[in-house]
Amino acid sequence: MVDLQERQAAAATAAASPAIHCVELSKHYGRTVALAGLTMTMPRGEVFGFLGPNGAGKTTAVKLLLGLVDPTGGEGWVLGKRVGDVPVRRRVGYLPELFRYQPWLTGAEVMRVHCELARLRRSTWSDEVDRALRLVGLAGRGRDRVRTYSKGMQQRLGLGVALLGSPELVFLDEPTSALDPVGRHDVRQIIHHLRERGTSVFLNSHLLTEVEMVCDRVAMIDQGRVIATGTLDELLSGSACRFRVTGLDPRQRASLSSFGDLNDDGEWIVILGLPGERVPEVVQEIVGMGGRLYAVEPRQQTLEDRFLQLLGEGGS
Amino acid sequence: MPELAPVLTIAKLTMWEASRRKLLIAVLVLTLVVVGATGWAFYQLRYSNGPGGGAQIGEVALRVLAAQVLIFVAFLFTAVLALMSVLVAAPSISGDVESNLALGLLARPVRRSEYVLGKWLGLAALIVLYAAGSAILELIVVDWATGYVPPRPIELIAYVAGVGLVLLTLALLLSTRLAGMAAGFIPLACYFVAWVGGILGGAGEAIGSQELIVTGLVSKLLLPTDGLWRAAVYAMEPASVVATYRAAGSAIAAVPFAATDGPPPAFLVWVTLWFAAVIGLTLWSFRRREI
């Protein structure tokens, strides 16, 4: 009886635990630091965007959380179990970045192998495979060999494999990298569907607009550390304004940084964190310096603006 | 501790993979051709004047001749088996890691040790099945053509399969760290070096050179393929041939197609330990491999 109560208490604790929680999780390869110290919490049932420039340690973090590599330091928990726990992987799905399935198998056979490895009941395999194939738009192609699949179809197959057995947590590592616009739209729909079902989705992507469209919460990492985390509302509270300007030399353009963080692509100057009431002051300044102003577009800050702003702060 | 279910799943997948590859089909077709061709040759041994022409040599001489030809045919099979073992094992783990296939498999509730043991078990089952199937077929054909059956056919199959398993195990160990080409080339090179080492050891026994005897012993311990091959040769020799060789003295030890004794029990214990050690090393190596 006590044992049953203890198990129920443990189950309740596990259910109440975040999908992912880690403290100073790090990975070093010799002298190379792949992940300096990841500290973050991903609540359950949310779509969590994990962003960072190339080489920031995103994929290393995913591998650490899945127990595919051992951490050099720190601690982490996935679905209430310590990182590296093998049984918890029955409740986790994973779509790796740049993968290739066995080309000699059919799509349905690949899925059946994963049903078996995920220890799903044999009687459910056929239904699971059919459901996953339908969900990722491969119904009717399950009997074809993987070698006949296009890159986009392989990506869809990988997504289907990750969703077998209705996992509680799904890691998607660059899920739209090989997909055309229709495929990307379909993936977004699938992610929305997962969220409605209460599945936690860890989305590793560098496509910021995609992340902005589907994620509830975001963590941004750079050089192996989280530099910002929060809901999209929390992160993108700032306003921005962009100006199409000619006739200013680089020094004059740079001088506009006194109004806020500057993002200058040569044609457009974006000033981040600029309150609306200060826009006329900027216009006056540009005109005063002899610049020719063609357009002024106040707008809400985008994830890309915020991302670049944070990277700029980190680098300065 | 590794669990059986994932080991068997990976083993099944490994065998499934091999069965869908053209390599296995090519080897099977080639084997049937070779068995057919050697059957015809054995038939000619018995009826040298052609079918129904009657035997030209006595039964004892025919048995000795059949035994000798069978040893050379078995050598050919062993070489093919060695090559096949290395070709299937060398890219096995490294290929999965390079294609990121291993990431998908190991993100399931599968331990690395279960993955490695499953790979080994699947490949080993393939090699043993091929060795047993082809050997039984060849022995049936030889029996049909000449009426000769080697004195210890089960041991023959076990030792020939053992050669394949040794090379498969070594190639799988190397596959945890090296790309397919290197992981395949090294065991094959070692196989030939061990073969020469066995001849040198035998020559040492013939001339009483302690250095060469030690060389042969070391090579036999490091890679027991030649020792297993000699054991297979002994399993194919009729008693009369063994008696003749024993009478010939120690010089016969240098001949790689002759054996005067079966494998000592200590050698068989060593082979068992060798498998345990190399598989253990493979588990350790892959456990530490960054994927």
Side-chain angles (χ1 to χ4, degrees):
Chain A
M1 188 65 184
V2 173
D3 184 43
L4 181 65
Q5 283 174 343
E6 280 178 359
R7 272 187 291 166
Q8 283 174 337
T13 308
S17 60
I20 295 171
H21 177 63
C22 50
V23 181
E24 285 298 310
L25 201 60
S26 65
K27 181 67 183 175
H28 297 192
Y29 296 101
R31 288 185 176 181
T32 307
V33 180
L35 200 64
L38 188 68
T39 299
M40 62 175 197
T41 300
M42 172 186 166
R44 291 202 184 216
E46 290 192 354
V47 179
F48 188 90
F50 196 57
L51 311 175
N54 291 337
K58 300 192 298 293
T59 295
T60 301
V62 171
K63 287 181 182 177
L64 279 170
L65 292 168
L66 281 162
L68 292 168
V69 294
D70 292 330
T72 311
E75 292 179 296
W77 291 264
V78 172
L79 298 176
K81 300 287 181 185
R82 274 196 178 274
V83 158
D85 182 78
V86 173
V88 79
R89 293 186 207 153
R90 295 174 72 160
R91 298 187 279 143
V92 174
Y94 172 44
L95 168 70
E97 185 190 13
L98 304 173
F99 64 95
R100 181 181 62 82
Y101 284 124
Q102 297 89 339
W104 59 90
L105 293 180
T106 67
E109 286 170 344
V110 168
M111 288 191 167
R112 290 180 79 85
V113 166
H114 279 266
C115 284
E116 190 169 350
L117 290 171
R119 315 273 187 100
L120 302 184
R121 277 206 319 276
R122 188 175 287 265
S123 59
T124 66
W125 292 2
S126 293
D127 288 345
E128 280 292 337
V129 170
D130 289 345
R131 187 185 60 82
L133 285 171
R134 262 199 323 274
L135 190 62
V136 297
L138 287 179
R141 295 300 305 267
R143 290 185 178 181
D144 294 338
R145 294 273 167 93
V146 174
R147 73 163 63 93
T148 66
Y149 283 17
S150 68
K151 210 172 169 185
M153 286 170 69
Q154 292 205 30
Q155 189 81 3
R156 286 170 183 266
L157 176 64
L159 189 58
V161 168
L163 303 181
L164 287 168
S166 305
E168 292 169 42
L169 170 63
V170 180
F171 287 88
L172 303 178
D173 200 348
E174 303 289 359
T176 56
S177 58
L179 298 178
D180 57 22
V182 176
R184 289 180 182 191
H185 173 264
D186 290 351
V187 170
R188 283 199 297 273
Q189 294 302 110
I190 290 169
I191 292 174
H192 284 307
H193 169 73
L194 290 172
R195 177 169 42 201
E196 283 167 14
R197 218 175 55 184
T199 306
S200 310
V201 180
F202 186 96
L203 178 63
N204 187 4
S205 177
H206 65 270
L207 297 173
L208 301 177
T209 47
E210 301 259 338
V211 171
E212 206 166 350
M213 280 190 236
V214 295
C215 290
D216 303 300
R217 190 178 295 270
V218 165
M220 296 182 184
I221 70 163
D222 187 33
Q223 297 175 10
R225 285 195 179 278
V226 173
I227 53 173
T229 184
T231 63
L232 286 176
D233 287 343
E234 288 165 356
L235 284 173
L236 306 180
S237 56
S239 55
C241 188
R242 64 178 198 160
F243 305 85
R244 188 163 167 241
V245 181
T246 61
L248 295 183
D249 61 36
R251 190 184 51 78
Q252 288 172 316
R253 294 175 79 96
S255 71
L256 295 173
S257 63
S258 59
F259 292 96
D261 291 316
L262 208 65
N263 181 14
D264 185 358
D265 69 5
E267 184 181 7
W268 289 91
I269 293 172
V270 181
I271 300 178
L272 303 167
L274 182 71
E277 62 271 18
R278 295 199 69 193
V279 172
E281 284 179 50
V282 180
V283 171
Q284 197 174 13
E285 179 74 12
I286 290 170
V287 173
M289 287 190 290
R292 296 171 70 84
L293 194 57
Y294 295 90
V296 178
E297 294 181 2
R299 63 183 168 94
Q300 190 64 27
Q301 188 182 32
T302 65
L303 198 54
E304 185 173 314
D305 296 334
R306 181 73 174 132
F307 187 57
L308 293 171
Q309 182 186 13
L310 286 164
L311 287 185
E313 285 170 7
S316 62
Chain B
M1 278 295 287
E3 290 181 38
L4 189 60
V7 171
L8 292 180
T9 306
I10 299 289
K12 192 174 68 180
L13 186 62
T14 306
M15 293 183 75
W16 200 358
E17 171 183 0
S19 68
R20 294 271 175 100
R21 285 194 165 175
K22 287 176 182 153
L23 170 70
L24 194 75
I25 296 163
V27 169
L28 288 178
V29 170
L30 192 66
T31 302
L32 289 176
V33 170
V34 170
V35 169
T38 54
W40 178 83
F42 278 107
Y43 190 81
Q44 293 306 311
L45 272 182
R46 188 174 185 93
Y47 299 101
S48 54
N49 293 335
Q56 300 295 301
I57 54 176
E59 280 300 315
V60 174
L62 180 69
R63 284 163 62 85
V64 170
L65 202 53
Q68 291 305 300
V69 175
L70 183 62
I71 287 172
F72 285 106
V73 171
F75 179 67
L76 174 73
F77 268 117
T78 310
V80 170
L81 188 71
L83 190 64
M84 190 174 121
S85 304
V86 163
L87 283 179
V88 294
S92 188
I93 292 178
S94 58
D96 281 4
V97 171
E98 283 160 19
S99 66
N100 276 353
L101 193 64
L103 286 181
L105 296 175
L106 293 169
R108 295 294 177 191
V110 178
R111 292 176 178 83
R112 290 195 181 199
S113 56
E114 293 162 349
Y115 170 80
V116 169
L117 290 174
K119 283 274 177 191
W120 186 86
L121 191 64
L123 295 172
L126 267 179
I127 293 304
V128 170
L129 278 176
Y130 171 75
S134 58
I136 289 169
L137 196 62
E138 181 68 27
L139 292 181
I140 288 171
V141 167
V142 172
D143 183 26
W144 166 78
T146 66
Y148 171 71
V149 177
R152 288 168 287 276
I154 304 292
E155 289 172 50
L156 162 65
I157 293 170
Y159 295 137
V160 167
V163 172
L165 290 179
V166 164
L167 291 171
L168 150 73
T169 308
L170 181 60
L172 199 66
L173 165 64
L174 297 173
S175 180
T176 61
R177 295 283 162 167
L178 302 175
M181 188 76 90
F185 176 77
I186 294 170
L188 269 186
C190 291
Y191 172 60
F192 290 116
V193 169
W195 168 260
V196 174
I199 295 173
L200 289 176
E205 284 180 36
I207 62 171
S209 164
Q210 200 58 33
E211 289 80 5
L212 286 180
I213 290 173
V214 171
T215 302
L217 183 65
V218 169
S219 100
K220 190 186 280 189
L221 293 180
L222 287 177
L223 193 73
T225 45
D226 190 58
L228 288 167
W229 163 246
R230 301 287 180 126
V233 170
Y234 181 74
M236 285 183 276
E237 290 171 339
S240 58
V241 171
V242 174
T244 308
Y245 286 159
R246 283 180 182 159
S250 59
I252 204 74
V255 180
F257 302 105
T260 52
D261 292 293
F267 174 70
L268 296 181
V269 171
W270 170 256
V271 172
T272 310
L273 291 175
W274 187 94
F275 275 115
V278 177
I279 291 172
L281 201 56
T282 309
L283 295 174
W284 176 82
S285 172
F286 192 60
R287 177 74 193 82
R288 298 181 66 85
R289 167 90 192 254
E290 301 290 357
I291 60 172

